[in-house]
Amino acid sequence: MTTPTPLASDEARTRLHELTVIDVRTPGEYAGGHLPGALNIPLDQIPRALPDIRHAAGRGDVLVVCASGARSENACRILAENGVTAATLSGGTGAWAADGHELHHPPGAARATWGMERQVRLTAGAIVLLGLLLGLVVHPAFQLISAGIAGGLVFSALTNTCGMAAMLAKLPHNRPRAADLDQTLAALRNR
């Protein structure tokens, strides 16, 4: 597998007019602020959008963004496996905003949901506490739940993947409405 080309936020900003920007965060995260002109195609929808992304890549460079860079790197790998070259924004939208660049908000967007990393921290922490509490009150074997979450977090860090985030992304508040995704793909085809 090839490593995606990282693009610094200042360079991305100067080239924004010539890039097709794809934001692979959840719709709620996207609503919280995104790069100007970015199209929201959540990471798990990349396979569905592949023909349209391939078409856009044939017309110009593609930049994939997320919150911090991990999901966009995974999206770039999926694209590369399917013959599409794309760059990733170094540090994601967090670095973009930290460098003083403007974030856009969709008009009439619903309130933004928590970022995926925050959702994972809340869920992992709650499950660990529940496992420890059940281990104290019901039976010590319930502490294995906490150990399992700890092992999953270590695995996540070592592989730069997150199974819990993949599961949380399937919750309704993290899913794009079919009509929204269809509109996004149509916009991608018309660029």
Side-chain angles (χ1 to χ4, degrees), residues 18 22 31 49 60 72 98 108 140 160 168:
E18 65 188 53
I22 298 172
S72 62
N160 200 25
L168 290 171

Side-chain angles (χ1 to χ4, degrees), residues 62-96:
V62 173
L63 176 66
V64 182
V65 302
C66 67
S68 64
R71 283 179 278 177
S72 62
E73 285 181 14
N74 290 334
C76 286
R77 285 188 188 97
I78 293 169
L79 293 172
E81 289 168 359
N82 288 281
V84 177
T85 302
T88 182
L89 181 64
S90 296
T93 54
W96 177 271

Side-chain angles (χ1 to χ4, degrees), residues 3-6 9 16 21-22 29 39 52 79 92 97 99 116 120 122 141 146-147 156 164 168 178 181 187:
T3 303
T5 304
S9 65
L16 207 54
V21 182
I22 298 172
E29 291 174 294
L39 299 171
D52 297 316
L79 293 172
D99 288 343
M116 188 55 65
V120 167
L122 174 72
S146 301
S156 175
M164 187 176 290
L168 290 171
L181 186 57

Side-chain angles (χ1 to χ4, degrees), residues 150-162:
L153 291 171
V154 169
F155 179 79
S156 175
L158 293 174
T159 62
N160 200 25
T161 61
C162 186

